[in-house]
Amino acid sequence: MDSSLMLTTTISVMWLVVGAAAAANELIINTCNCTQYQELCRQSLAPYARLLSNKPSHLAYVAVRVTMKDAKNVFGYVQELKANYTNIAGGALEDCAENLDGLVDQIRDSLKETRWLFAANKPSQGVDDFHFHVSNVQTWMSAALTDEDTCADELQYLDEPLIRSYVANRISRVQGLLSNALALINTYYGNI
């Protein structure tokens, strides 16, 4: 192959890759404008920009996946932490862990539904069926927000301020991710 042809082909491919990444980053920036925690939205989705198709439905799916990952990490941390306490703080952490376990289950169910919605991408399977799946995601993500709030309330019984603050910050991040994912679901699928 001629070296100038190879160089031209390589440069063309690089421009396509750069253009796709720029389009994905622009999609993230524009789509995150509808969320309450815009900076968290952009920051949490940016690592996935290269993997995104240029579809808001894919972005909503990725947002739920990111939320699931963080929620599982917080749940695991609280599970480990509660093993170190047997007093009132241990009971509070046990209650918090139970709420986080429910939250993870609800996000897992939402992720399955969002995967179905992303694959369908439009209500071609029937509008009622499509709306049923959207409603499930909205209900479960909203319920997960409630579980997160209940867990955060339990932290008042944790008598170590540094640990309480650390757990509260991690739970607050999950709350922001949940809120953002729900906003993306509502923005994209709520209008179909």
Side-chain angles (χ1 to χ4, degrees), residues 22-121:
N25 281 326
E26 187 174 327
L27 175 68
I28 289 170
I29 290 167
N30 292 336
T31 305
C32 287
N33 286 338
C34 75
T35 66
Q36 183 175 355
Y37 305 97
Q38 293 177 11
E39 187 56 36
L40 177 61
C41 181
R42 291 181 194 111
Q43 173 256 333
S44 66
L45 297 176
Y48 303 94
R50 292 182 329 149
L51 306 174
L52 292 172
S53 60
N54 205 12
K55 298 178 182 175
S57 60
H58 192 196
L59 197 59
Y61 170 74
V62 171
V64 176
R65 282 188 62 130
V66 168
T67 303
M68 177 69 173
K69 181 182 173 188
D70 266 46
K72 285 172 71 174
N73 287 340
V74 173
F75 172 66
Y77 178 73
V78 171
Q79 283 285 87
E80 289 176 21
L81 192 60
K82 74 176 182 146
N84 297 324
Y85 293 91
T86 56
N87 55 9
I88 294 173
L93 288 169
E94 176 67 34
D95 291 345
C96 180
E98 286 176 18
N99 284 302
L100 289 173
D101 189 32
L103 176 146
V104 168
D105 286 343
Q106 289 160 339
I107 298 171
R108 184 178 297 118
D109 291 341
S110 296
L111 186 59
K112 289 176 189 172
E113 293 285 355
T114 308
R115 187 178 303 125
W116 184 92
L117 290 167
F118 173 62
N121 202 23

Side-chain angles (χ1 to χ4, degrees), residues 153-172:
D153 291 344
E154 293 295 327
L155 295 178
Q156 68 180 324
Y157 299 107
L158 194 57
D159 54 359
E160 296 181 37
L162 289 176
I163 293 175
R164 181 175 53 236
S165 176
Y166 182 73
V167 173
N169 287 338
R170 291 186 71 179
I171 289 172
S172 179

